[in-house]
C-alpha cells in the first residue's frame, strides 16, 4: 500500500518514524505493507529529524497526490489551502484520505469534502483532528453508533486548560499563566486561536458531525474565550466548589434542535472533567442507554497525534482491501438552537457602590427579568463592594436582559465575570 504523506512537521515527521519503526506490526494490522511513496514539504532545505529519508522529500504535493501509484493520501500540512485542494484532488481520484486538519474539516469546505468522499465511495478519516491521541471519533462513530447521545462536552484545547489549571491551582492571573504556557511551548506567540476559543470551536463543529450526524461549520458555533477570566472569578469558583474550564459542548436541545458552543464554564469539583489538569484533554459523553462515559488523554503533540493518524491509516488500508468505507452518517444541516434559548445556572460578579439600598436595586433587576437568585456574596468596604451572584436555572436571554438592566443602574460600576454553570442535560 503506497502512502503519500503531505507535510513533515510535528505530526508528519512523527508519522514517518512510526511507519518506519513499526513496519512489520503495521503490515500485520492492516493486511498490507505500508510503503511511503513520497513526503511533500514546503522547504526542501528545512531541518528535519534524522529518520526522515531525504530521498522521499518533494515540494510537488500536487504531483504526489496525482501519482497513479499512490493508494492512500495523508494530509498533515494544515490550514485551508493548499490542503483543501489536495484533499479534494485525492478524493476525486478515488483515493482515501487521512487528515488531522481540524481547520479544514470544520470549514464549509470540510462539509463539501465529506460529501465528495461519500459520493466517490472513499474514506475521509480524521481521528486526529479532535483531541489528538484520544480515540474519540471512532468510539462515537462505531462503538456508540446505536446510542442516542444527549450531550458531548469536552476539554479539547490543551493550551487553555493549562492556563486555567495554573490560575486555579496557583492563583496566577491570566497574563502570568499565558506567559508560562508560552515559555513552555504550549501556547503560540499569538495565542488568539486557542484563548479566544477558535480551535475548540472547530473541534465542536466536527464533533457535531461525528456524534450527531449533522453538518455544522465552525462559523456557526457560539464562541467565547477565556481572556476575560480573572483570578477573582477563579477564586470564587474554588471557594464555591467549582473549577473553571473552557468547554466545547454539543447537545440536543428542544426536540430536533442542536446546540453547538464553546465557552468557559464553572464545572462542579465532583464532575470528572474537573480533574482534567494541565494540557490534557477529555471528552465526557452522555448517552441514553450507555449513561456517562469519559475519554481522557493527550490532545496534541507530534507523536500522540501521529498515533491517531496511524490508526486511521490502518483503517483506510483495511477498508481499501475489503472494498468498503467507514460509516459516515449524514443528517444534513443542523437546526441550531440560539444561545438565548438555552438554560443554565449563572455566576455573575458585579462591582457596585457600597451604600444602603444597592443590594435591593440589584436584586430587583434580576427579579424583574425573571432570573431567580440562588446565593449572593458581598465583599469590600470603603465605598466599593463586589457582589457575586449565583442564579437558579434561567434562560440565557433573560440573563442577558438582566445584565442590560444592571448596566443601566448608576450603582453598578462594572459588570465583571459572567459564567455559565455546568448542570445536568
Ligand atoms: N501539532 C499538533 O499537536 C497537532 C495536533 C492535532 C492536530 N494537528 C494538525 O495536524 C496538522 C499538521 O500539524 P503540524 O503541527 O505537524 O504542522 P507543522 O509542524 O507546521 O507542519 C506542517 C508541514 O506542512 C508542510 N507544508 C506547508 N506548506 C506546504 C505546501 N504548500 N506543500 C507541501 N507541504 C507544505 C511544512 O513544510 P516545511 O517543513 O518544509 O515547512 C511542514 O512540514 C495540522 O492540520 C494541525 O492542525 C496538529
Amino acid at each position: 500500500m503506497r502512502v503519500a504523506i503531505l507535510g513533515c512537521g510535528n505530526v508528519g515527521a512523527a508519522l514517518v518514524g512510526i511507519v518506519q519503526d513499526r513496519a512489520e506490526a503495521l503490515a500485520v494490522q492492516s493486511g498490507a505493507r505500508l510503503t511511503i511513496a513520497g513526503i511533500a514539504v514546503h522547504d526542501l532545505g528545512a531541518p528535519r529529524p534524522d529518520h526522515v529519508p531525504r530521498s522521499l522529500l518533494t515540494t510537488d504535493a500536487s504531483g504526489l497526490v496525482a501519482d497513479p501509484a499512490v493508494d492512500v493520501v495523508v494530509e498533515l500540512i494544515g490550514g485551508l489551502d493548499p490542503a483543501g485542494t489536495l484533499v479534494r484532488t485525492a478524493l476525486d481520484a478515488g483515493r482515501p484520505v487521512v487528515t488531522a486538519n481540524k481547520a479544514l474539516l470544520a470549514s464549509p469546505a470540510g462539509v463539501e469534502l465529506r460529501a465528495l468522499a461519500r459520493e466517490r465511495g472513499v474514506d475521509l478519516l480524521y481521528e486526529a483532528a479532535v483531541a489528538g491521541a484520544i480515540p474519540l471519533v471512532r468510539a462515537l462513530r462505531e462503538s456508540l453508533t446505536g446510542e442516542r447521545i444527549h450531550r458531548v462536552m469536552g476539554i479539547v484545547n490543551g493550551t487553555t486548560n493549562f492556563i486555567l489549571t495554573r490560575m486555579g491551582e496557583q492563583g496566577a492571573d491570566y497574563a502570568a499563566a499565558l506567559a508560562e504556557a508560552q515559555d513552555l511551548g504550549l501556547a503560540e506567540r499569538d495565542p488568539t486561536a486557542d484563548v479566544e476559543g477558535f480551535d475548540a470551536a472547530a473541534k465542536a463543529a466536527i464533533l457535531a458531525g461525528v456524534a450527531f450526524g449533522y453538518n455544522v461549520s465552525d462559523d456557526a458555533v457560539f464562541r467565547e474565550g477565556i481572556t476575560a477570566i480573572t483570578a477573582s472569578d477563579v477564586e470564587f469558583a474554588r471557594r464555591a466548589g467549582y473549577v473553571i474550564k473552557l468547554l466545547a459542548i454539543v447537545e440536543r436541545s428542544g426536540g430536533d434542535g442542536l446546540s453547538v458552543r464553546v465557552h468557559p464554564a464553572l464545572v462542579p469539583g465532583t464532575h470528572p472533567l474537573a480533574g482534567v489538569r494541565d494540557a490534557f484533554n477529555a471528552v465526557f459523553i452522555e448517552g441514553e442507554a450507555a449513561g456517562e462515559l469519559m475519554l481522557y488523554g493527550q490532545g496534541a503533540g507530534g507523536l500522540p497525534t501521529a498515533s491517531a493518524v496511524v490508526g486511521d491509516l490502518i483503517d483506510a488500508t483495511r477498508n481499501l482491501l475489503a472494498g468498503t468505507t467507514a460509516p459516515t452518517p449524514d443528517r444534513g444541516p443542523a437546526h441550531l438552537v440560539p444561545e438565548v434559548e438555552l438554560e443554565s445556572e449563572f455566576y455573575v460578579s458585579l462591582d457596585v457602590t457600597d451604600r444602603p439600598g444597592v443590594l435591593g436595586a440589584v436584586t430587583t433587576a434580576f427579579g424583574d427579568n425573571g432570573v431567580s437568585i440562588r446565593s449572593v456574596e458581598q465583599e469590600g468596604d470603603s465605598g466599593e463592594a463586589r457582589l457575586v451572584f449565583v442564579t437558579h436555572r434561567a434562560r440565557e436571554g433573560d440573563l442577558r436582559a438582566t445584565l442590560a438592566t444592571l448596566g443601566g443602574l448608576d450603582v453598578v460600576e462594572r459588570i465583571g465575570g459572567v459564567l455559565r454553570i455546568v448542570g445536568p442535560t
Side-chain angles (χ1 to χ4, degrees):
M1 199 62 67
R2 289 173 59 81
V3 183
I5 299 178
L6 314 181
C8 191
N10 292 313
V11 184
L15 174 68
V16 170
I18 296 175
V19 170
Q20 288 173 336
D21 294 349
R22 307 204 51 244
E24 296 303 326
L26 299 187
V28 172
Q29 292 292 347
S30 61
R33 176 164 284 275
L34 303 179
T35 306
I36 300 175
I39 306 169
V41 294
H42 175 65
D43 176 4
L44 280 179
R48 315 261 164 218
D50 289 345
H51 69 261
V52 174
R54 302 300 188 269
S55 58
L56 291 177
L57 296 179
T58 172
T59 52
D60 184 12
S62 313
L64 188 55
V65 169
D67 180 350
V70 164
D71 298 299
V72 184
V73 173
V74 181
E75 185 278 307
L76 298 169
I77 294 175
L80 299 186
D81 216 32
T85 308
L86 294 166
V87 170
R88 188 173 295 108
T89 306
L91 294 174
D92 235 346
R95 294 204 184 96
V97 173
V98 173
T99 177
N101 192 337
K102 60 212 150 210
L104 177 63
L105 290 162
S107 72
V111 174
E112 289 168 22
L113 291 173
R114 282 193 291 275
L116 177 63
R118 258 192 300 275
E119 196 186 301
R120 291 283 186 271
V122 288
D123 273 330
L124 171 61
L125 302 179
Y126 43 89
E127 181 67 75
V130 187
I134 302 177
L136 174 65
V137 173
R138 199 171 281 101
L140 285 164
R141 198 185 60 205
E142 294 177 11
S143 311
L144 294 167
T145 182
E147 181 67 35
R148 181 176 162 82
I149 308 266
H150 293 304
R151 178 166 67 178
V152 176
M153 186 161 67
I155 295 168
V156 292
N157 181 273
T159 306
T160 46
N161 203 49
F162 177 88
I163 292 170
L164 292 171
T165 303
R166 282 293 182 274
M167 291 177 74
E169 295 181 1
Q170 296 177 1
D173 68 14
Y174 169 75
L178 170 62
E180 187 183 350
Q182 286 171 323
D183 288 347
L184 292 171
L186 292 170
E188 304 280 343
R189 284 295 129 196
D190 174 4
T192 311
D194 293 318
V195 299
E196 296 292 0
F198 289 101
D199 173 79
K203 292 164 179 172
I206 296 169
L207 280 177
V210 179
F212 296 91
Y214 290 110
N215 290 327
V216 175
S217 54
D218 50 3
D219 50 7
V221 176
F222 174 84
R223 180 187 51 76
E224 275 175 16
I226 65 163
T227 52
I229 292 174
T230 63
S232 83
D233 297 330
V234 173
E235 171 55 17
F236 171 82
R238 193 190 61 73
R239 275 189 284 116
Y242 295 98
V243 290
I244 298 179
K245 295 290 186 191
L246 182 70
L247 299 179
I249 303 175
V250 190
E251 177 176 28
R252 281 187 202 281
S253 178
D256 65 345
L258 196 69
S259 162
V260 189
R261 57 194 199 270
V262 169
H263 56 69
L266 268 66
V267 177
T270 51
H271 192 286
L273 285 172
V276 178
R277 300 173 58 252
D278 295 335
F280 276 89
N281 282 198
V283 179
F284 189 77
I285 302 166
E286 293 156 89
E288 193 153 298
E292 298 175 349
L293 301 160
M294 190 163 92
L295 300 168
Y296 168 92
Q298 297 195 60
L303 207 51
T305 307
S307 157
V309 173
V310 170
D312 276 350
L313 185 53
I314 289 176
D315 247 11
T317 305
R318 284 179 184 158
N319 288 345
L320 205 54
L321 292 172
T324 182
T325 56
T328 52
D330 178 20
R331 291 178 210 281
H335 165 56
L336 293 177
V337 178
E339 216 38 38
V340 288
E341 298 298 335
L342 300 179
E343 287 188 359
S344 79
E345 295 177 0
F346 291 89
Y347 152 91
V348 178
S349 152
L350 302 175
D351 289 343
V352 296
T353 313
D354 193 10
R355 60 172 148 83
V358 169
L359 187 58
V362 168
T363 53
T364 301
F366 279 88
D368 285 351
N369 289 289
V371 178
S372 145
I373 294 166
R374 174 149 70 89
S375 70
V376 57
E377 258 188 33
Q378 177 168 356
E379 299 169 353
D381 48 23
S382 65
E384 287 190 358
R386 174 162 298 164
L387 295 175
V388 179
F389 294 88
V390 172
T391 73
H392 284 294
R393 212 169 156 83
R395 256 186 88 249
E396 178 140 348
D398 294 339
L399 194 276
R400 289 190 194 178
T402 305
L403 296 176
T405 309
L406 288 168
L409 298 180
D410 60 359
V411 294
V412 174
E413 284 167 10
R414 195 181 73 93
I415 298 174
V418 177
L419 293 166
R420 301 158 190 86
I421 300 177
V422 165
T425 49

